[in-house]
Every structure is written in C-alpha cells, then in structure tokens.
C-alpha cells in the first residue's frame, strides 16, 4: 500500500523535528515538508499535494483557521485531510476548525504513539 504523505505546519521548529522523526519511523507515512507559518503551509500544500496536513492553530502571518479558510480557495486536485494539533482547546476554536473542514483535533501536549494510532484509524491504515 502507498505511504500517506504528510505536511506539518507549526511554527515550533523543535516540535516539527521531533514529530517528523517520529512519523518517519512509521512505514505508513512519509513527511514531505514542514511549514513554519500559515502562508508557507499554503505554498507547500500547493507544491507537495500532501494526503494529510498536520496543522497548528497559532502561527505567524496566517493562523491555522486562516489556512483552513484558504485551502478551499486553492486550485487543488485534492484537499488534504487535516489534523489540527494545538495548545488551544477552546470550544469555539475547535468548532470553527471542524466547520472549516478539519478531520481531527488534538490538544497539545499529547502522546505520540496514540497520535499515530489515531492517524492510522482515521486514514485507513
């Protein structure tokens, strides 16, 4: 079966490196890019066309909700599945993320093993 490609969008570089390394140990997933802010994320989504976008809410230039709003304006062959990973657990933000098309929402801090298990459950691995 083909690997699911993942783009990570989070302004915390250290967190991105850790998550990327952890995901690269999984044979089902391949990290194709890391975006440092929302605008960078949109550019990389257009370029890489990932299956899954792991998206932080609080980022410079364009926040995660802005990325979700903009995703549907891009001329993409396929919209990636979106997993929001955020320190923000407010109901309004969570609800808005789902309204804008997020598939799953996880509040940081979280357990990496559980996270990968959820990715596999959600995306049919």
């Amino acid at each position: 079966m083909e690997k699911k490609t993942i783009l990570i969008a989070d302004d915390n570089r250290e967190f991105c490196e850790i998550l990327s390394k952890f995901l690269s140990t999984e044979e089902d997933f391949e990290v194709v890019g890391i975006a440092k802010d929302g605008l960078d994320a949109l550019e990389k989504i257009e370029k890489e066309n990932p299956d899954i976008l792991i998206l932080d809410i609080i980022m410079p230039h364009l926040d995660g909700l802005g990325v979700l709003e903009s995703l549907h304006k891009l001329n993409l062959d396929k919209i990636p599945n979106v997993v929001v990973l955020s320190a923000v657990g407010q109901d309004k933000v969570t609800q808005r993320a789902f309204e804008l098309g997020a598939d799953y929402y996880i509040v940081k801090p979280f357990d990496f093993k559980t996270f990968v298990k959820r990715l596999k459950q959600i995306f049919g691995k």
Side-chain angles (χ1 to χ4, degrees):
M1 189 178 274
E2 259 182 58
K3 288 184 178 205
K4 294 281 184 191
T5 56
I6 295 177
L7 176 70
I8 301 169
D10 194 308
D11 60 327
N12 181 333
R13 191 172 301 259
E14 192 179 329
F15 172 75
C16 288
E17 292 298 321
I18 293 166
L19 183 58
S20 180
K21 279 188 181 130
F22 191 83
L23 288 169
S24 66
T25 64
E26 294 291 320
E27 60 187 34
D28 299 332
F29 301 112
E30 178 187 356
V31 176
V32 293
I34 293 175
K36 61 189 179 312
D37 62 53
L39 296 176
D40 189 25
L42 291 173
E43 282 177 26
K44 288 189 168 134
I45 290 164
E46 280 189 293
K47 195 173 131 212
E48 300 293 343
N49 207 6
D51 298 311
I52 302 166
L53 171 63
I54 296 175
L55 181 65
D56 189 15
I57 290 292
I58 300 169
M59 293 186 293
H61 307 302
L62 184 66
D63 67 11
L65 294 177
V67 171
L68 285 168
E69 286 169 353
S70 301
L71 259 184
H72 299 283
K73 295 175 191 151
L74 297 176
N75 191 11
L76 300 172
D77 293 335
K78 69 172 194 287
I79 301 275
N81 290 297
V82 180
V83 176
V84 175
L85 269 186
S86 182
V88 179
Q90 297 168 337
D91 288 348
K92 281 183 182 169
V93 175
T94 308
Q95 185 179 351
R96 186 72 185 128
F98 283 120
E99 285 169 6
L100 293 169
D103 296 279
Y104 200 68
Y105 198 107
I106 298 176
V107 178
K108 295 175 186 172
F110 62 93
D111 177 73
F112 282 100
K113 287 189 174 99
T114 304
F115 175 66
V116 168
K117 199 163 108 185
R118 291 287 173 272
L119 281 181
K120 290 179 181 182
Q121 286 171 343
I122 297 167
F123 306 113
K125 282 282 179 177

